[in-house]
Structure formats: structure tokens, C-alpha cells
Amino acid sequence: MNEDVARRLVAVNQAFYDRFAASFAASRSEAAPGFARLLDYLSVGAAVLDVGCSDGRLARFLNQHGALARYTGVDFSVPLLASVDPALGRFERRDLSRPNCLSGLGQYDLVACLSTLQHIPGHAHRVQLLSEMRDRLRTGGYVALANWQFTAHERQRRKVRPWSTIGLEDAEVESGDYLLSWQRGGAGLRYVALLDAPATALLAAAAGLRIVEQYRSDGREGDLNLYTILAR
């Protein structure tokens, strides 16, 4: 993907989360059902890095289950970070679409990236971020991904908008890239890449990670997100 196009897509998502932070967080106030199986990969006293932490949703879930020994959350949205509970851990603003975005954060037993890798424009940029997550792992640690499978149901497919809406052409984006609408608290647009099982396998291989487990969970039908557990 052309770097100028990638920056435009990052700007689309930045504008979305700056404007709709409150309504977005309200739509996800409860922990996703798929979070529960992540507890199987956390030992007592585990350290967790949450890449794309939003308003601290995962941190709240881990805290409620007594699984929050050391937590660091990073996100690019100032409004979302402003709503986190600082008592849950350390929170920092980082642009996850840039190289070295996770530098200086230390090592962790679990690096979670839930509904965030899908917002990083371009396969090469996603490999870069996943590789940085790998480098933050302690020996025996895991990376946990969750990515939206929005093409699986017609009610989700209705959100797709043409690239011309934001002045782009199909040839300027990559296969699996979509522009999706938002209708809570106003009309908005987000860039999302469809990271299904084959796409996830390609990313894992490129980042030097192996797939330990995959499962579908969340949403009305119970299969809205694809969760993937990865290890070195």
C-alpha cells in the first residue's frame, strides 16, 4: 500500500475515534464473551500489554477476575485514553501504525491486540506491528488477537461503503480492505481490514509466530470475532 494512502486511512480512523469515543465505548461497556478463554493463558502474577486498549475494557475484565498483576495499555485515541481508570495500570498514547511504536514498554506474558490490528492499513504495517508484539513477549508468553469477521453476516455487510466516499479508488487499497459506516451518535466511517483465518496465518508466519489456538466468539451470533493465540 502506498504510504500516503496508509496515512489517509489512519487519519480516517483517528477522526472517527476522536469524534465517537463516547458512543463507541458505550457500545462495548461489557467484556466480550471471547475474553474468558484468554484467562487460560495467564498465570498468577502475569504481566499484560494491551495494544489498542481503547478505554481499558480488557483491563477492567482482568481486574474483575483477579488476573491483573501488571498492565500496560497503549492506544492512539486521546479521548478514549482520557476515560480509562488510571488505577488499573499504565496507559500511554502511541501511534500503532508507526515503526517502533512499542519500544521501551518492557516484556510481558500476554500481549493482547483485540480489534486493533484490523485498523492498521497495509499488510506490511500489520506484520511490523505483530513483530513488535512478538518482541515484547517473555519466554513462554503469548500474543492474543481478535479481529472482526464482519463479512460473515448480511447485517454487518450492509455497513460497507465505496472507497469513493473518501476520494479513493479500489486499486489504491489492498485486498480485504473495507470502509465501514457507523450510526451511533451520528454518522461516521472507519477503515477496517478483514483479517480472517488465512490472512491471520500469513501474518503469523511473516512475524515468526505459530498459531496455538483459534476460536470464534462475540456478537449476536456468537462468531463475530476471530480470536487467535500465538506463540514464538
Side-chain angles (χ1 to χ4, degrees):
M1 177 182 291
N2 178 282
E3 190 63 22
D4 289 339
V5 172
R7 290 301 112 202
R8 287 179 65 180
L9 295 177
V10 170
V12 166
N13 283 358
Q14 182 80 65
F16 172 84
Y17 285 104
D18 282 353
R19 179 181 176 189
F20 295 102
S23 56
F24 176 81
S27 72
R28 289 154 175 79
S29 58
E30 299 297 324
F35 288 6
R37 284 170 69 171
L38 301 181
L39 296 174
D40 295 340
Y41 296 92
L42 286 172
S43 58
V44 176
V48 176
L49 173 61
D50 191 358
V51 179
C53 63
S54 187
D55 67 336
R57 184 187 188 195
L58 178 62
R60 294 192 300 271
F61 168 80
L62 295 176
N63 187 57
Q64 290 165 2
H65 287 80
L68 197 63
R70 181 167 69 87
Y71 171 93
T72 300
V74 295
D75 203 282
F76 78 154
S77 172
V78 172
L80 285 171
L81 287 172
S83 65
V84 303
D85 179 356
L88 293 174
R90 167 188 174 193
F91 294 90
E92 290 191 17
R93 183 177 186 272
R94 301 279 179 111
D95 183 348
L96 301 175
S97 67
R98 299 285 189 181
N100 303 312
C101 61
L102 303 182
S103 63
L105 294 176
Q107 305 299 116
Y108 297 84
D109 302 291
L110 179 71
V111 178
C113 186
L114 309 179
S115 302
T116 297
L117 195 61
Q118 63 196 25
H119 290 316
I120 304 300
H123 175 78
H125 288 125
R126 291 190 286 271
V127 171
Q128 172 69 34
L129 179 55
L130 188 55
S131 297
E132 292 194 34
M133 288 190 273
R134 176 204 64 210
D135 291 344
R136 300 277 67 78
L137 288 178
R138 289 176 174 168
T139 300
Y142 299 96
V143 172
L145 306 177
N147 291 298
W148 189 12
Q149 306 301 292
F150 50 86
T151 61
H153 302 286
E154 174 58 29
R155 66 185 181 86
Q156 301 291 340
R157 293 194 295 270
R158 287 196 293 268
K159 298 176 181 179
V160 175
R161 296 293 179 267
W163 287 109
S164 59
T165 307
I166 58 171
L168 290 176
E169 299 180 2
D170 290 356
E172 294 182 276
V173 299
E174 295 181 358
S175 175
D177 286 344
Y178 291 85
L179 186 67
L180 302 183
S181 66
W182 172 269
Q183 300 295 334
R184 292 173 181 256
L189 295 167
R190 287 185 291 170
Y191 160 77
V192 186
L194 177 64
L195 302 182
D196 56 12
T200 301
L202 288 174
L203 287 168
L209 292 163
R210 60 182 175 86
I211 295 175
V212 176
E213 180 187 10
Q214 283 187 313
Y215 61 94
R216 297 278 289 269
S217 185
D218 308 339
R220 188 181 303 169
E221 294 85 2
D223 63 355
L224 190 58
N225 285 314
L226 172 66
Y227 287 81
T228 305
I229 308 299
L230 302 160
R232 287 180 181 273

